[in-house]
Amino acid sequence: MSFISFLSTGTDATAMGGSSLFMLLPLVLILVIMYFFMIRPQNKKQKETEKQIAALKKGDKVITIGGIHGTVAQAKEKTLVIKVDDNCKIEFNRTAIATVVTEKTLSDDEAGKKKDVADKIKDSGDEEKKDE
């Protein structure tokens, strides 16, 4: 059975128990679901990151692809001068910026650290009760 005859609604397809369009329906649904749950959100996130990088200005905190944390000291058209330490400035291409650090990013990191500390305190309290 060739692919063309598979797509046709001739006697071969009806002899198999139904229209070939119904056989292709699950494949189409899987592709639609993949688009809405995987591809579309990734594209949205990428566009948002590109907007943030294009709007960088002096004083913004960034993280590079290599993991270097710093503050923008000077913004040029295609490059950024990042202040890493008091006397250390490094020039990067804008494409080398992985993340623009915002208050939300900081609060998420701090919340995770506070939860870890609270879990450690709770675990140590449980161990003390077992010892008694």
Side-chain angles (χ1 to χ4, degrees), residues 61 100-110:
K61 295 183 180 187
V100 178
V101 180
T102 60
E103 292 299 322
K104 183 179 178 187
T105 308
L106 291 174
S107 65
D108 290 346
D109 290 343
E110 290 171 2

Side-chain angles (χ1 to χ4, degrees), residues 39-50:
I39 298 169
R40 189 167 176 248
Q42 183 64 31
N43 287 344
K44 243 181 175 178
K45 184 176 179 183
Q46 184 177 0
K47 285 181 183 178
E48 181 181 320
T49 304
E50 288 174 1

Side-chain angles (χ1 to χ4, degrees), residues 53 62-69 92-99:
I53 290 172
V62 295
I63 302 172
T64 66
I65 293 172
I68 298 173
H69 294 244
F92 287 99
N93 285 338
R94 285 185 181 262
T95 57
I97 304 301
T99 308

